[in-house]
């Protein structure tokens, strides 16, 4: 009933996997990569098995010894980046024989000696193309950056300092590359583990899934699903009673998914049932704001984000406790913070905010907590011509405001919106529509970060969000966003400056900035670090 009403949708893997021979209901996995030839290629084999079943994989390569380091037989180590190419090649090969594209998240910690090679590994278009990459940053690293201090690069094999560099210089290289290509993102490792209930019993989490919304232990998967907030507004107010009921049922639905799912590796089955991690998320946030006539980039919207996500998480926690009373706690509950607090839980974590690419298209709403990308845009997922979408809430508001026999005017405005994506510079549109119907590039990056942080405050796992920048944004703008995200407690950050890749999934026909861009100098990055 929830699915038919488009109130809740499980992740796309449920639709691909349920009732099939593979029967896998999870998209997200993390695999360990050990510092040995056997360990590395065992992980490549596991990756192939997961990709063949339709899953994506995340890794932290920081345990691998650096390039040029000694190995047992007297040779020299290849280093993490070269081995990433083996995982990338596997992904391309398996992808050709499957029905769902494989994808990976690669993380290398900021203190690894090969960090410069890592952050530049995607500079060439098409190189390591099946990876998102992120730098694993501790509070110590970010404090060294903001304090303009030195930073040690350490060999993970023996703990010895290989080189001491200026933290800010290293950070600046990350920022300029993100400006140029969108990579690397950042994973804030201490924020990741701050509320981890298994930190003392199982150790820290070091990696995430492909889009960063689920921090996972080795072999751990996550079952995801999202509530479509656009369906919970009526008469200019939120239907809290129905939202509570759907949040409760979604928790039970996904917990059942842990048992219903089949996995390609025994280790994954064990990890799935040991922690029973699930992720009830949301989508359609932008449409909820449209219906409530609340501007996305406003204190009112940030306050409402905390209220809505706080309500959902409280409901999901209560349901997890209720299921624990019926079916028992998750096996790793013993020794966890929950046991110390006397809280019985069925699941180690229950809320996540995923990017909801496929299911937001199925339910015809905006992705996750993103603002609407454009009021009318082309999505390049089917063929070269793409599919054109116009936001129905905007079209309805425009039609009602410009009624009075002016249907021709509505059509004229819509044609202009298709060209520009935004309504901000179009004449004859009421001021209140311009105020409410904001799109991704109308919004200052700081507001994107503030919104992510507001939702993260009430999300057990993590939040997947893209911080959008217009084409003429500077590297300094991206630097400010990275530092703000860390300070506000985000677990990671992904940025994208419009047109920084040759091919991008979402695009408008018009520019993403009113500022002149002709003749703007391209930032060149000096891709090397010198020791202090």
């Amino acid at each position: 009933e929830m699915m038919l009403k488009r109130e809740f949708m499980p992740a796309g893997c449920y639709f691909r996997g349920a009732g099939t021979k593979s029967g896998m209901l999870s998209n997200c996995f993390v695999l360990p990569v050990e510092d040995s030839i056997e360990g590395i290629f065992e992980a490549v084999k596991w990756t192939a098995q997961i990709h063949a079943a339709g899953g994506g994989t995340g890794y932290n390569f920081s345990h691998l010894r650096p390039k040029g380091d000694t190995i047992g037989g007297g040779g020299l180590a290849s280093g993490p980046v070269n081995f990433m190419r083996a995982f990338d090649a596997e992904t391309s090969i398996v992808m050709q024989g499957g029905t769902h594209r494989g994808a990976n998240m690669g993380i290398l910690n900021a203190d690894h000696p090969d960090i410069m090679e890592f952050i530049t590994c995607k500079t060439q278009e098409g190189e390591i193309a099946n990876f998102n990459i992120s730098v694993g940053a501790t509070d110590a690293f970010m404090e060294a950056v903001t304090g303009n201090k030195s930073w040690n690069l350490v060999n993970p094999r023996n703990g010895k300092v290989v080189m001491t560099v200026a933290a800010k210089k290293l950070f600046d290289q990350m920022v300029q590359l993100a400006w140029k290509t969108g990579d690397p993102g950042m994973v804030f490792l201490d924020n990741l583990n701050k509320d981890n209930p298994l930190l003392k019993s199982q150790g820290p989490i070091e990696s995430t899934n492909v889009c960063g919304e689920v921090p996972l232990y080795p072999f751990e998967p996550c079952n995801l699903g999202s509530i479509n907030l656009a369906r919970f507004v009526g008469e200019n107010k939120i239907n809290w009673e129905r939202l509570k009921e759907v949040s409760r049922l979604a928790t039970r639905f996904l917990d059942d998914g842990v048992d219903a799912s089949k996995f390609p590796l025994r280790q994954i089955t064990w990890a799935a049932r040991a922690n029973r991690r699930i992720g009830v998320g949301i989508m359609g946030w932008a449409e909820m704001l449209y219906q409530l006539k609340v501007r996305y980039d406003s204190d009112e919207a940030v306050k409402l984000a905390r209220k809505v996500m706080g309500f959902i998480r409280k409901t999901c926690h209560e349901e997890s406790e209720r299921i624990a009373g019926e079916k028992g706690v998750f096996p790793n509950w013993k020794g966890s913070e929950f046991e110390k607090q006397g809280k019985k839980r069925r699941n180690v974590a229950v809320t996540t905010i995923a990017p909801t690419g496929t299911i937001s298209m199925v339910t015809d709403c905006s992705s996750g907590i993103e603002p609407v990308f454009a009021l009318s845009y082309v999505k390049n997922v089917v063929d070269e011509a793409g599919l054109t979408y116009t936001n129905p809430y905007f079209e309805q508001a425009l039609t009602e405001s410009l009624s009075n026999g002016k249907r021709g005017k509505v059509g004229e405005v819509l044609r202009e919106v298709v060209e520009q994506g935004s309504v901000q510079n179009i004449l004859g549109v009421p001021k209140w529509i311009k105020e409410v119907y904001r799109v991704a590039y109308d919004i200052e990056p700081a507001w994107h970060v503030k919104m992510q942080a507001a939702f993260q405050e009430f999300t057990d796992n993590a939040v997947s969000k893209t911080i959008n920048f217009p084409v003429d944004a500077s590297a300094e703008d991206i630097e400010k966003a990275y530092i703000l995200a860390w300070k506000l407690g985000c677990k990671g950050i992904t940025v994208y400056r419009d047109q920084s890749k040759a091919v991008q999934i979402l695009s408008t026909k018009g520019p993403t900035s009113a500022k002149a861009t002709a003749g703007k100098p391209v930032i060149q990055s000096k891709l090397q670090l010198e020791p202090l």
Side-chain angles (χ1 to χ4, degrees):
E1 182 182 350
M2 291 189 298
M3 292 164 67
L4 287 171
K5 289 182 176 180
R6 294 186 294 165
E7 295 172 322
F8 169 82
M9 285 285 171
C13 53
Y14 271 81
F15 296 98
R16 290 191 303 274
T20 68
K21 184 178 179 181
S22 70
M24 190 169 77
L25 307 180
S26 289
N27 270 358
C28 315
F29 302 86
V30 158
L31 292 173
V33 183
E34 297 176 4
D35 186 32
S36 67
I37 289 292
E38 294 82 3
I40 292 166
F41 282 96
E42 186 77 357
V44 172
K45 181 187 79 173
W46 293 329
T47 299
Q49 291 173 282
I50 291 171
H51 288 177
T57 40
Y59 323 82
N60 189 315
F61 293 99
S62 301
H63 295 289
L64 301 187
R65 66 192 69 192
K67 187 174 184 178
D69 193 30
T70 58
I71 54 178
L76 298 177
S78 297
V81 174
N82 273 329
F83 283 119
M84 283 175 66
R85 293 188 172 94
F87 288 86
D88 190 62
E90 172 281 323
T91 307
S92 296
I93 293 166
V94 172
M95 178 178 66
Q96 291 173 357
T99 59
H100 182 63
R101 175 176 177 157
N104 308 292
M105 166 66 86
I107 296 173
L108 196 72
N109 294 353
D111 62 352
H112 195 283
D114 289 356
I115 189 64
M116 277 307 303
E117 183 185 10
F118 175 77
I119 66 175
T120 60
C121 71
K122 293 188 68 176
T123 306
Q124 288 289 108
E125 193 83 33
E127 183 76 2
I128 311 190
N130 299 304
F131 269 89
N132 294 331
I133 64 169
S134 285
V135 174
T138 58
D139 286 347
F141 174 69
M142 295 304 295
E143 287 162 2
V145 169
T146 55
N148 205 18
K149 299 176 182 177
S150 60
W151 180 249
N152 291 333
L153 303 183
V154 180
N155 187 333
R157 178 178 61 83
N158 55 22
K160 292 184 178 180
V161 175
V162 173
M163 182 187 293
T164 299
V165 301
K168 182 63 165 60
K169 189 172 183 180
L170 173 57
F171 181 71
D172 286 345
Q173 298 286 9
M174 298 175 195
V175 166
Q176 293 202 15
L177 285 161
W179 178 90
K180 185 178 180 182
T181 68
D183 287 300
M186 298 192 79
V187 172
F188 301 115
L189 296 170
D190 290 308
N191 288 352
L192 206 71
N193 285 287
K194 183 173 62 176
D195 299 318
N196 176 7
L198 301 180
L199 178 61
K200 293 181 180 177
S201 58
Q202 304 291 323
I205 292 176
E206 297 180 326
S207 190
T208 73
N209 71 319
V210 173
C211 294
E213 75 269 24
V214 196
L216 296 167
Y217 282 104
F219 297 110
E220 198 179 8
C222 188
N223 287 300
L224 304 178
S226 295
I227 296 168
N228 177 11
L229 293 178
R231 310 295 290 184
F232 295 86
V233 180
E235 300 178 353
N236 298 317
K237 61 183 180 181
I238 296 172
N239 185 343
W240 295 103
E241 184 178 347
R242 181 59 182 165
L243 182 58
K244 183 173 185 177
E245 179 68 3
V246 170
S247 300
R248 186 183 70 77
L249 290 171
T251 304
R252 190 171 290 267
F253 183 106
L254 293 178
D255 181 69
D256 286 342
V258 174
D259 300 310
S261 183
K262 300 174 185 176
F263 298 106
L265 301 174
R266 285 176 299 172
Q267 299 97 313
I268 294 175
T269 302
W270 296 334
R273 294 176 182 173
N275 291 341
R276 306 192 67 86
R277 188 184 300 272
I278 63 172
V280 177
I282 63 168
M283 53 187 171
W285 170 238
E287 284 88 358
M288 172 175 270
L289 294 178
Y290 282 171
Q291 292 175 82
L292 296 172
K293 294 183 171 57
V294 175
R295 177 173 167 149
Y296 188 100
D297 46 339
S298 68
D299 290 330
E300 184 181 1
V302 171
K303 182 179 179 181
L304 184 62
R306 291 192 175 98
K307 183 177 181 180
V308 168
M309 202 62 207
F311 179 86
I312 291 172
R313 184 171 75 163
K314 182 175 184 293
T315 302
C316 294
H317 282 181
E318 289 171 351
E319 187 66 13
S320 184
E321 291 176 15
R322 189 176 292 113
I323 301 171
E326 298 171 15
K327 302 180 181 181
V329 296
F330 65 96
N332 280 339
W333 179 85
K334 191 168 183 60
S336 72
E337 291 300 310
F338 293 140
E339 184 190 30
K340 294 177 183 176
Q341 297 165 6
K343 294 179 180 178
K344 292 195 172 183
R345 290 281 174 83
R346 178 67 169 169
N347 318 93
V348 69
V350 295
T351 52
T352 294
I353 295 179
T356 69
T358 302
I359 60 173
S360 62
M361 292 179 70
V362 170
T363 52
D364 194 21
C365 70
S366 54
S367 301
I369 61 166
E370 303 290 355
V372 168
F373 176 77
L375 295 171
S376 184
Y377 63 93
V378 176
K379 190 160 188 174
N380 303 313
V381 292
V382 178
D383 55 34
E384 290 184 5
L387 298 172
T388 300
Y389 289 83
T390 298
N391 185 274
Y393 296 98
F394 167 69
E395 188 169 4
Q396 181 181 347
L398 190 66
T399 301
E400 291 174 356
S401 297
L402 300 179
S403 54
N404 302 323
K406 296 182 180 178
R407 182 61 200 172
K409 177 64 176 175
V410 172
E412 182 183 324
V413 170
L414 287 176
R415 282 190 292 274
E416 288 190 62
V417 171
V418 169
E419 292 297 321
Q420 298 190 30
S422 170
V423 75
Q424 299 304 313
N425 297 318
I426 298 176
L427 298 175
V429 175
K431 183 179 179 181
W432 78 265
I433 288 184
K434 292 186 177 184
E435 181 76 11
V436 171
Y437 287 90
R438 312 276 286 171
V439 298
Y441 291 108
D442 294 332
I443 297 165
E444 289 292 325
W447 282 105
H448 282 272
V449 177
K450 289 176 184 177
M451 190 63 75
Q452 179 176 335
F455 276 101
Q456 182 62 76
E457 189 178 338
F458 296 96
T459 301
D460 296 342
N461 290 303
V463 177
S464 176
K465 170 144 183 32
T466 300
I467 311 302
N468 292 105
F469 289 82
V471 64
D472 58 356
S474 67
E476 184 182 0
D477 294 330
I478 290 175
E479 176 184 341
K480 289 176 181 176
Y482 276 8
I483 292 174
L484 181 62
W486 166 62
K487 288 183 175 179
L488 291 182
C490 295
K491 295 186 178 181
I493 181 171
T494 299
V495 302
Y496 185 74
R497 183 179 62 85
D498 192 40
Q499 300 177 36
S500 60
K501 288 188 185 296
V503 177
Q504 59 188 49
I505 297 298
L506 297 177
S507 64
T508 61
K509 294 184 180 180
T512 60
S513 173
K515 299 176 184 177
T517 57
K520 187 174 181 68
V522 175
I523 296 178
Q524 298 294 333
S525 182
K526 297 178 181 178
L527 304 179
Q528 59 182 350
L529 278 178
E530 298 175 359
L532 294 178

